[in-house]
Amino acid sequence: MASLVRRILGAVVRSAHIHHFGSELEAVLPTSTVNGHDEDRERTPLSEPIPAHQLAQTAHHQFQSDFFGKLPLEIRRQIYDELWRSAGESQHIFHMNGRLRRCVCVTDHDAEDERDDIVENFKLEKSLTHETYFSNSALHRQLSSTWTKHWKCEEHMAKHGPNEPAPFLPALTTCKRMYFECMESIGENVTLNFTSLQAAHDFAVVRRQAPIVSTIRRFNFSFYLSQQEINKYMPWNDSQWKQLWETLGGLENVRQVKLWLDGRLGSDQHDLQLNGPALFKCLDEAPKYRLSVNLPTDEDTEEKLTDPWGPRYAMDCFQGVELQFRGAPAYRPSDKKGVCGPTNSGMPSLEVMAWYSMSMNV
Ligand SMILES: [Zn+2]
C-alpha cells in the first residue's frame, strides 16, 4: 500500500504546477539536510517565510491533475494518512549540530520504561557472571541515553541517521494546494515527541508563528530535569519551561500533551518529588487540552505511590490533569552530556561511574 501511495504521489508531483516555496517550509518544518556530511559547511540564511494567507491566495486549483481533478477529498485524505503511517505517525524533533531534525519514534510512549527490567535482569546475571556494568558499553548507552525512555529511538536514529527518507517534505513541496491539505492531515495524524526542553522550546515558542506549530494536535514530552533546572523553572521565574506551557495554552489545535519527567540523578529526582507540584503553578488554569503527567516517586512504598505529594497534590493547577506516579526507577540517568552523547563514546566519567555503582549496588 505504501509503495502504491508513493507512486500516486509521484504522479501528482509530475502533473502539479510546482511553486518554489521550499524555503518557507525549511523555516516551519524541521528537515534533513542533503546528506550527513555537510554540517560544517556554511549555510546561507533562509529567506523570510511566506505567510500562509499569501500562499493560500496564490494556490493553483490543480484541476488538470487527476489527483485533484478526479479524486474526492476523502480519498486524498486517506492517501495522505497512508503516507504518514508508512513513515511513522510518531516522530521525534531534536537538535543536532544546532538545527532541529526529525526522526521516527520507535518507542511506545505509554508503555512502561523497559530500563527497570534491564537493570533488574543485569543484577540477576551479574550474580552468575563476572561481567560488570561498566564493561558493557551497550548497556551503558541504553541507561545513560539523554533521550530518556526513548533510548531505542536514539539508537535507531544513530543507526539510520537523521536523514531517513520520509514523505513529509516531498508532499508539502509538491504544490500549494497539497501543502494545505497535507498540513491539516499531518496535524491530525502525527504526534511529535521531544526529549529535550530546549528543542521543544525552540520548536513551539521560538517558531510559534510557523504553521506546523499551530497544526499539531498531540505532543509527547519526556524530560530529565536537574536540581538547577527545577529551581530555574519555578513559577516566579520567566523560563523556557514557563514559556512552553504558556505557548501550548495559546495553541488552539492542541488536544493532548503527555509529559514524562525524571530527575537526571537521584538527588534531582528527590528534588522533583519535593518541588514537582510547584513546577505546574505556571498553569494558571486547567489546560484546554488533555494533559497527563507521569512522574517518579523517590521511594517505591505504597504510601508514596498513592499520595506522593500529600496536601500539595490537591493544588488548583492539577484540576483536570491526569497524574501518574510510577515509583522509583531501578536505574539512574546521567547528566554528563559528553558521556552519554555519541553512541561510540567510551567509558563514563569517574563521577558517573561512582553514582551508578551506588545506585546499582555494584
Ligand atoms: Zn521515541
Side-chain angles (χ1 to χ4, degrees):
M1 180 67 180
S3 63
L4 175 68
V5 170
R6 285 205 183 92
R7 282 213 302 278
I8 293 172
L9 186 64
V12 176
V13 172
R14 285 192 293 279
S15 64
H17 287 198
I18 308 294
H19 298 266
H20 294 285
F21 55 103
S23 59
E24 191 266 352
L25 288 168
E26 277 272 296
V28 299
L29 188 76
T31 58
S32 305
T33 46
V34 178
N35 60 54
H37 308 289
D38 60 350
E39 304 302 345
D40 299 327
R41 199 188 302 161
E42 201 160 306
R43 297 175 188 284
T44 47
L46 299 174
S47 53
E48 278 295 304
I50 306 168
H53 69 271
Q54 271 184 33
L55 277 184
Q57 282 167 3
T58 55
H60 190 275
H61 55 68
Q62 304 290 8
F63 288 146
Q64 82 293 343
S65 148
D66 287 348
F67 186 79
F68 290 105
K70 291 187 178 166
L71 291 181
L73 180 60
E74 289 73 24
I75 302 293
R76 295 202 299 275
R77 279 186 175 155
Q78 285 177 24
I79 291 173
Y80 299 139
D81 292 355
E82 196 56 39
L83 274 179
W84 319 142
R85 201 169 297 133
S86 72
E89 288 176 314
S90 189
Q91 295 281 328
H92 276 271
I93 305 291
F94 61 100
H95 272 301
M96 184 179 267
N97 298 307
R99 294 192 66 184
L100 288 175
R101 301 298 190 96
R102 175 202 57 76
C103 76
V104 67
C105 174
V106 295
T107 302
D108 177 359
H109 183 81
D110 298 324
E112 286 194 13
D113 195 339
E114 286 178 37
R115 292 173 300 177
D116 279 345
D117 287 341
I118 291 174
V119 170
E120 295 300 340
N121 287 338
F122 173 76
K123 284 180 177 172
L124 217 75
E125 283 171 24
K126 191 167 67 67
S127 62
L128 303 173
T129 69
H130 295 296
E131 186 187 30
T132 66
Y133 166 72
F134 302 108
S135 65
N136 187 332
S137 58
L139 184 58
H140 167 249
R141 277 201 305 274
Q142 291 169 3
L143 295 181
S144 59
S145 167
T146 53
W147 287 41
T148 67
K149 67 187 298 188
H150 288 263
W151 54 270
K152 272 187 189 168
C153 306
E154 184 183 28
E155 284 189 350
H156 182 92
M157 191 278 292
K159 190 173 168 193
H160 300 278
N163 302 325
E164 255 194 310
F168 298 108
L169 199 60
L172 287 165
T173 50
T174 295
C175 66
K176 293 176 187 174
R177 180 153 187 207
M178 190 179 281
Y179 168 85
F180 285 107
E181 290 184 0
C182 283
M183 266 296 191
E184 197 177 336
S185 177
I186 288 172
E188 284 171 3
N189 293 286
V190 177
T191 301
L192 292 189
N193 290 269
F194 294 84
T195 53
S196 126
L197 176 63
Q198 181 72 53
H201 180 270
D202 286 358
F203 178 85
V205 181
V206 177
R207 293 163 180 241
R208 169 71 183 82
Q209 300 306 323
I212 189 74
V213 175
S214 49
T215 300
I216 295 297
R217 309 273 203 279
R218 289 177 298 278
F219 290 96
N220 290 343
F221 298 125
S222 323
F223 301 143
Y224 283 143
L225 298 181
S226 67
Q227 271 179 310
Q228 292 83 356
E229 284 167 324
I230 294 167
N231 287 337
K232 207 161 68 181
Y233 303 156
M234 286 292 118
W236 46 85
N237 293 329
D238 184 28
S239 63
Q240 290 189 343
W241 172 268
K242 191 174 181 180
Q243 289 170 10
L244 177 64
W245 293 106
E246 282 172 357
T247 302
L248 288 170
L251 295 175
E252 278 179 25
N253 285 324
V254 181
R255 297 285 179 275
Q256 180 179 279
V257 175
K258 292 180 181 176
L259 171 68
W260 183 97
L261 284 180
D262 206 345
R264 285 189 196 275
L265 298 173
S267 51
D268 303 328
Q269 199 176 297
H270 181 71
D271 209 48
L272 191 61
Q273 173 76 51
L274 201 67
N275 294 316
L279 285 177
F280 297 91
K281 277 276 193 185
C282 59
L283 297 170
D284 291 332
E285 52 189 39
K288 290 187 277 264
Y289 48 85
R290 193 173 160 207
L291 173 63
S292 64
V293 180
N294 189 304
L295 291 145
T297 51
D298 55 359
E299 289 171 32
D300 252 340
T301 58
E302 197 178 324
E303 187 195 348
K304 283 281 183 183
L305 285 170
T306 50
D307 189 20
W309 285 337
R312 292 170 300 163
Y313 178 78
M315 294 198 315
D316 286 349
C317 55
F318 290 119
Q319 299 265 327
V321 177
E322 186 189 339
L323 288 168
Q324 304 156 347
F325 293 95
R326 61 179 183 275
Y331 67 91
R332 292 290 185 227
S334 159
D335 66 341
K336 299 294 174 190
K337 280 184 187 162
V339 170
C340 46
T343 49
N344 59 355
S345 64
M347 288 299 158
S349 70
L350 287 175
E351 184 191 343
V352 174
M353 283 175 72
W355 173 257
Y356 278 121
S357 302
M358 261 187 337
S359 68
M360 296 176 71
N361 298 319
V362 175

